[in-house]
Amino acid sequence: MESRVRLSNTPSLVHNNLAVSDKYLAYISTTESQVELMDLRAIDTPETQRFESCKYKGKEEVLHINYLNLKNKWYLVLGTTGSIQLWTEDGRKIIAFTNYENLGLSQNTGFLTSAVSETQELFLFGTAKGSLEVTRVEERTNTLEEVYSSTGHSDAVSALACLDNLAVSGDESGVVVLWDIASQSLISSFSPCSTPATSATIFNEYSAVSFGNGQINVYNLRSSCLEYTVWGHSRWVTGLCSYPSKCGFVSCSEDCCLNLWSVSQGNLGIVSCNEIANTLLTGVALWRGKVLAVAYDRSKVWIVDKFN
């Protein structure tokens, strides 16, 4: 079953352009990289619909948006052409900040992806220069302090996910790397695909990484091997999110399709496909069992609470 709720603006063409916390939905709009928020109570009760705008007023282009949870606290993450910023969940106040200079990086490095290790209490950021920057929040000084930097990629880190001590990253050359965050070591590096990695998510003992040619690879985190390769989309896959109740994940693409995937009896397959006609889907997220999706230049969020 599919429904829609109006947005205050239209999402940009950035991939993974949908972030969800307990209370808010956020996306980068087509209006000069403005970050827009919507109170998620509108999903169940549209008459309570309320919009916010993040107070970010910087001149740098916003390249990445995410919500990350650490110790039951939500952070709105903005990655720009030169800095990483952590904001309060409602986007009203900046909590922590760092830039390319503080991390010893070159100018206009660009921060493209983010993830959090709750067991290590660390924030991870992938850069356009191929590095993985691992940081810790120092709220007394409103800074992100570098813990270490890893260089397992030679191209921009365009996909990133983390669970406990394990992280997976993919770059624009299609190389995928598995990391052990606790030991600060690279576990495995996989041969490049023909197109860039676009998104990553972790579910159960697996990680899914999508690519620009519609391909999705699923890696077994226990054995550190590539277990499944599927082609479920005809265009760029622009977002992934885990779907725990089906031991799987949801993918969205520029081909208008939302696909639900599941691992069952040793096989990975599509459980359901929902087509949202005439759209370039650019982001997908899970909120209270419902799948939310947005599309480029469309002022709507689609809600799927039951797949076909």
Side-chain angles (χ1 to χ4, degrees):
M1 184 180 296
E2 175 193 313
S3 57
R4 306 173 191 176
V5 172
R6 180 178 63 89
L7 296 174
S8 61
N9 208 326
T10 54
S12 74
L13 198 55
V14 173
H15 294 163
N16 303 294
N17 193 15
L18 180 60
V20 167
S21 69
D22 279 344
K23 297 179 181 179
Y24 292 96
L25 169 158
Y27 60 95
I28 304 167
S29 78
T30 52
T31 308
E32 296 181 352
S33 290
Q34 178 63 49
V35 175
E36 304 288 351
L37 282 71
M38 186 189 82
D39 191 320
L40 282 167
R41 286 178 293 183
I43 299 296
D44 296 321
T45 53
E47 64 274 12
T48 65
Q49 192 167 46
R50 185 167 62 88
F51 301 111
E52 303 269 357
S53 290
C54 178
K55 301 302 181 184
Y56 173 73
K57 301 296 182 183
K59 296 181 180 180
E60 297 175 342
E61 181 184 1
V62 179
L63 305 173
H64 168 69
I65 189 168
N66 204 357
Y67 268 116
L68 297 176
N69 187 285
L70 181 60
K71 299 172 68 173
N72 297 315
K73 181 176 181 178
W74 284 100
Y75 296 84
L76 175 63
V77 180
L78 303 186
T80 77
T81 50
S83 68
I84 276 286
Q85 304 172 20
L86 301 189
W87 291 72
T88 54
E89 184 180 6
D90 59 9
R92 295 181 181 180
K93 181 181 178 182
I94 192 167
I95 297 173
F97 168 92
T98 194
N99 61 19
Y100 66 91
E101 291 178 311
N102 296 336
L103 297 172
L105 302 171
S106 58
Q107 189 175 9
N108 295 326
T109 291
F111 296 87
L112 306 178
T113 53
S114 64
V116 65
S117 169
E118 293 196 61
T119 54
Q120 300 296 315
E121 299 184 11
L122 298 173
F123 288 92
L124 289 62
F125 304 105
T127 76
K129 301 298 184 181
S131 66
L132 185 65
E133 304 297 323
V134 182
T135 66
R136 179 175 285 112
V137 173
E138 294 291 343
E139 293 194 16
R140 291 175 298 173
T141 56
N142 292 336
T143 59
L144 281 160
E145 299 293 335
E146 185 171 36
V147 178
Y148 66 93
S149 177
S150 295
T151 54
H153 295 281
S154 58
D155 210 338
V157 180
S158 49
L160 181 63
C162 183
L163 181 64
D164 299 329
N165 293 327
L166 294 175
V168 58
S169 57
D171 67 27
E172 292 191 349
S173 295
V175 174
V176 172
V177 176
L178 301 184
W179 305 88
D180 186 318
I181 301 303
S183 65
Q184 305 183 17
S185 61
L186 186 154
I187 300 172
S188 298
S189 180
F190 297 89
S191 300
C193 296
S194 59
T195 56
T198 57
S199 190
T201 190
I202 292 177
F203 62 101
N204 293 52
E205 69 267 30
Y206 300 101
S207 176
V209 179
S210 60
F211 299 89
N213 60 356
Q215 177 180 339
I216 301 174
N217 286 352
V218 176
Y219 304 87
N220 189 312
L221 297 178
R222 290 182 179 177
S223 59
S224 302
C225 68
L226 173 61
E227 194 147 324
Y228 307 102
T229 296
V230 291
W231 283 264
H233 294 281
S234 60
R235 298 186 64 176
W236 282 68
V237 183
T238 54
L240 299 173
C241 71
S242 64
Y243 197 87
S245 65
K246 290 289 186 181
C247 184
F249 61 94
V250 179
S251 59
C252 72
S253 169
E254 293 180 352
D255 66 4
C256 312
C257 291
L258 274 175
N259 289 344
L260 172 60
W261 303 82
S262 179
V263 175
S264 178
Q265 297 180 342
N267 295 307
L268 173 67
I270 294 180
V271 176
S272 178
C273 175
N274 277 51
E275 182 179 357
I276 302 176
N278 304 314
T279 61
L280 293 176
L281 296 173
T282 56
V284 64
L286 185 69
W287 182 73
R288 298 183 181 178
K290 297 178 174 67
V291 173
L292 313 182
V294 295
Y296 169 62
D297 208 27
R298 302 289 294 275
S299 57
K300 300 179 181 69
V301 55
W302 283 263
I303 304 110
V304 179
D305 54 15
K306 186 177 180 181
F307 277 85
N308 297 327

